[in-house]
Amino acid sequence: MRKTMSAVAACILAIGSLAIAQEKDTTALNSKKAPDFSLNTPDGKTLRLSDQKGKVVLLDLWATWCPPCRKSLPHLQSVSANKNLADKGLVVWAVNQQETPQVVQEFVRTNGYSFTVLMDSDGKMGQAYLVRGIPTTVIVGRDGTVSSVFIGFAAGSAKQLDDAVEKALAQK
């Protein structure tokens, strides 16, 4: 009886692990057309991804309460403020996940960030991008295809992101 229970438990564990392993995340979008979306800035201006065709778009999905996001945002600011990258066609959008415009505006102001913030108030953009954790950073190439995905932010992430941006900008 004990062996049977152990075998059943092992099967349940294996099936559960398989289900988790098969759950898709944002990396499943690599080399695929980026889902189009239209989102508002905290002050109400509407921006649409498909309007950026011909540019490289860096999408960073984040929240003010997320420690790894807070760690990654200064680098996002430096990439966004880099005029050389902008002149090559880089657009940077920080897509906030389901917080209020007031909370986001205060956070951005307090930290001196100048990047463009979009509000994914209902989380539908995050769902379309299969986001399972934040920060999630997606680089969309000039042709509208996802060229790179980064989940999380740790030592070495800034360099990897910079390299991926340069590679995407080099594509014509």
Side-chain angles (χ1 to χ4, degrees), residues 62 73-74 76-78 80-81 92-94 107-108 112-117:
W62 66 285
L73 290 174
L76 186 70
Q77 173 63 34
S78 70
S80 174
V92 177
W93 287 347
F107 178 84
V108 168
Y113 295 138
S114 60
F115 44 69
T116 300
V117 175

Side-chain angles (χ1 to χ4, degrees), residues 8 13 35 40 60 75 88 96 100 114-115 145 148 159 163:
V8 169
L13 183 60
N40 292 332
D60 187 75
H75 183 69
K88 291 179 183 177
N96 180 268
T100 67
S114 60
F115 44 69
T145 301
S148 297
K159 169 97 170 85
D163 291 348

Side-chain angles (χ1 to χ4, degrees), residues 75-92 114 162 165-166 169:
H75 183 69
L76 186 70
Q77 173 63 34
S78 70
V79 171
S80 174
N82 185 321
K83 184 164 173 16
N84 183 41
L85 295 175
D87 289 347
K88 291 179 183 177
L90 181 66
V91 173
V92 177
S114 60
D162 293 346
V165 166
E166 288 291 347
L169 288 169

Side-chain angles (χ1 to χ4, degrees), residues 15 134 142:
I15 290 169
I134 53 176
R142 297 178 194 279

Side-chain angles (χ1 to χ4, degrees), residues 25-33 139 145-150:
D25 65 18
T26 310
T27 59
L29 297 177
N30 263 326
S31 302
K32 294 188 174 135
K33 183 169 175 41
I139 299 173
T145 301
V146 173
S147 65
S148 297
V149 173
F150 300 91

Side-chain angles (χ1 to χ4, degrees), residues 36-38 46-55 57 91 93:
D36 195 19
F37 62 86
S38 178
T46 302
L47 297 175
R48 176 180 228 86
L49 179 63
S50 57
D51 291 342
Q52 303 304 309
K53 191 139 183 146
K55 297 182 180 179
V57 181
V91 173
W93 287 347

